[in-house]
Amino acid sequence: AAAEDPATSEFKKLLHELDTYQIELELQNEDLRQALTELETEQRHYVDFYDFAPVGFLTLSSKGVILEANLRAASFLGVPRQDLRQQRLAAFISPEDSDRYYLYIREFLTGSQENSCELRLKSAAGVLLPVQLSSLVVPSGAAEPGQFRVVITDLSQMKKLEEQLRQSQKMEAIGTLAGGIAHDFNNILQVILGAAETLGGKLSSSGPEGKELESIVAGTQRAAALVRQILDFSRKSGVRRQALLPQPLLKESLQMLRATLPATVDIETEIEPRCGVIEVDPTQFHQVVMNLCMNAFKALKNETGKITVKLQRREVFAAELVGEPEVKPGPFVLLSVSDNGCGIDPTVLEHIFEPYFTTREVGRGSGLGLAVVYGIVKSGHGFIRVESVSGKGSTIAVYLPLKEVVAASGAALAGKALPRGSERILLVDDEAQIVNLNQRLLAGLGYQVTAVTSSVEALLHLRRKPDGFDLLLTDQSMPELSGAELARAALELRPDLPIILCTGYSSAFAEEEARALGIKKYAEKPLGREKLARLLREVLDER
């Protein structure tokens, strides 16, 4: 074969090199496409992070003009993102915080290390939002000189937690204060109640003096209920829940309410005869009804209108209990109180169960009523719903879980003669007036009473003659030896001695501790003569 032309050989060589170059170019193009894809993915991730971050991002000019914003910042300010550009951030600062904002910006731009500030943003809709502003300098080359970024952090949840903490601390202080005064105040009420009941036994109940004494007794009992209400709210007093039918309790409460409200208020009731049984402290149930109804009454214009009270059985499903993690679905008793008054302003609605929150003028409301209701219902594993239309009225619905038990009778013992006895009683209280009143009462019921105002003296009586008494009735808070310490020493001398411990209030000694010690009964002051007489017989007859 003839030798190949050198030109042809060179051309083929060039073609081969061109093919190789094209292959390398295609490989480079593929690498470039892959790099671009990765870059686009990274960019999308960055954009997603930027737009949907839990904080707001703003890029500002040196004059505070918004140049760029993410979606979160736009939602904070209440303006579409594209409409934010060229607006000044200062326009969205609450007027009360504008001085703080300008000071913060000036300090940052002049190189201050303090680059954060708490203030309130005011959205385009007028909604105030507590936030923290933190500033960052834009890296050189990434933007025009003088620009800076602001990070906006929503502080609303943190502020709510801070408020809850403050509220908890306030309630702890209130509980401490309430406990501090409850003992002395209940001792005063014990004296008033005992004297009124003793004097009432000597007068005709139909005469004017008898009626006045009944008013004194009723007022004393209301004062005692107020102390219990404060202690209940501060979680410092025991609750005695029992299985009861709610209908008799509701009717008793409404009977008391009817005597309290003016005739210009119409009270309508819808009470289902068979709702089931609830586990409740009767006193707390009365508090719930009275506080709800009095709240409804105060919402009526010119103290004229209608209050509707309903009691019915309701089946509650899980879907209705969103936000109520401690409540289980099932059958409930629904107690609702409605009025046709002024209604509740939406801005006020979320605060109505807060302690001491009230929209009424000084002297017309303490702000405790609905807070007490809330505490009682929550402690009973129930929940509350509120509906209100401004100018047309409100409905507060209380849901209490049903119990699958047979109801006890809610009727109180009344109208029966006081039980009597002849046993020997050692009576101890550091308040001389209480000792004298109870000594006369017990002696009048036939008991042999040894009364002392010193727990040390009472212990000496027991040491001298351990079998000389059939019952020890002692106060808890006393100097030298407390009632619990006296009881402990008495039981060492005489293990079978029945003991009743009375207290106006004691945070250091609870009913459970008293029973563990061997004390038969733990009674709260003030004790009326009927309650004290029946309590004595209950303990003595049990022996």
Side-chain angles (χ1 to χ4, degrees), residues 97-157:
D97 298 336
S98 58
D99 290 344
R100 185 184 306 173
Y101 167 70
Y102 286 120
L103 178 62
Y104 152 72
I105 292 296
R106 184 168 64 249
E107 289 181 347
F108 173 72
L109 293 178
T110 55
S112 172
Q113 295 300 313
E114 182 65 36
N115 66 338
S116 65
C117 173
E118 288 188 15
L119 45 75
R120 291 167 298 171
L121 293 179
K122 187 174 184 180
S123 71
V127 178
L128 292 177
L129 178 70
V131 298
Q132 181 184 56
L133 301 184
S134 301
S135 297
L136 302 170
V137 176
V138 177
S140 60
E144 295 181 8
Q147 291 184 8
F148 62 99
R149 291 197 178 108
V150 173
V151 180
I152 307 175
T153 306
D154 182 359
L155 298 181
S156 55
Q157 186 62 31

Side-chain angles (χ1 to χ4, degrees), residues 466-502:
D467 296 327
F469 302 97
D470 300 305
L471 182 140
L472 171 61
L473 176 62
T474 178
D475 185 33
Q476 161 61 9
S477 297
M478 296 183 293
E480 298 177 307
L481 288 176
S482 69
E485 292 170 332
L486 174 61
R488 189 177 290 108
L491 290 172
E492 289 177 358
L493 294 169
R494 172 95 177 275
D496 64 334
L497 179 65
I499 300 175
I500 298 176
L501 183 70
C502 301

Side-chain angles (χ1 to χ4, degrees), residues 316-334:
V316 176
F317 301 97
E320 303 174 72
L321 296 174
V322 176
E324 303 286 351
E326 297 179 358
V327 182
K328 298 180 180 179
F332 282 75
V333 161
L334 167 59

Side-chain angles (χ1 to χ4, degrees), residues 132-289:
Q132 181 184 56
L133 301 184
S134 301
S135 297
L136 302 170
V137 176
V138 177
S140 60
E144 295 181 8
Q147 291 184 8
F148 62 99
R149 291 197 178 108
V150 173
V151 180
I152 307 175
T153 306
D154 182 359
L155 298 181
S156 55
Q157 186 62 31
M158 187 184 74
K159 294 297 182 182
K160 286 181 180 179
L161 293 175
E162 288 178 353
E163 180 59 30
Q164 289 175 3
L165 177 60
R166 282 193 295 269
Q167 194 61 50
S168 174
Q169 292 171 337
K170 181 167 69 173
M171 292 318 303
E172 183 178 355
I174 291 173
T176 302
L177 176 63
I181 67 172
H183 178 264
D184 291 340
F185 190 64
N186 278 329
N187 276 343
I188 296 171
L189 294 178
Q190 178 74 67
V191 173
I192 297 172
L193 181 62
E197 289 184 332
T198 300
L199 187 57
K202 301 176 183 179
L203 298 174
S204 171
S205 60
S206 59
E209 294 86 356
K211 296 293 184 184
E212 295 297 332
L213 283 173
E214 288 179 2
S215 298
I216 294 174
V217 171
T220 304
Q221 291 171 341
R222 284 197 298 271
L226 177 61
V227 174
R228 285 195 300 271
Q229 179 173 316
I230 295 173
L231 292 176
D232 285 342
F233 184 71
S234 60
R235 299 178 182 178
K236 296 294 184 180
S237 67
V239 177
R240 298 176 179 83
R241 292 189 178 90
Q242 49 190 300
L244 295 170
L245 290 169
Q247 293 90 338
L249 295 174
L250 178 58
K251 290 175 180 177
E252 289 175 10
S253 299
L254 293 177
Q255 187 176 5
M256 290 188 291
L257 182 73
R258 181 69 277 179
T260 305
L261 299 181
T264 53
V265 177
D266 182 22
I267 302 177
E268 292 187 359
T269 59
E270 296 180 23
I271 302 175
E272 288 186 7
R274 295 182 180 179
C275 297
V277 175
I278 57 176
E279 190 174 60
V280 66
D281 183 315
T283 300
Q284 288 193 336
F285 188 88
H286 287 306
Q287 288 177 357
V288 169
V289 176

Side-chain angles (χ1 to χ4, degrees), residues 382-398:
F383 63 100
I384 302 176
R385 294 287 184 265
V386 182
E387 295 180 1
S388 183
V389 178
S390 183
K392 293 186 178 181
S394 307
T395 298
I396 299 181
V398 168

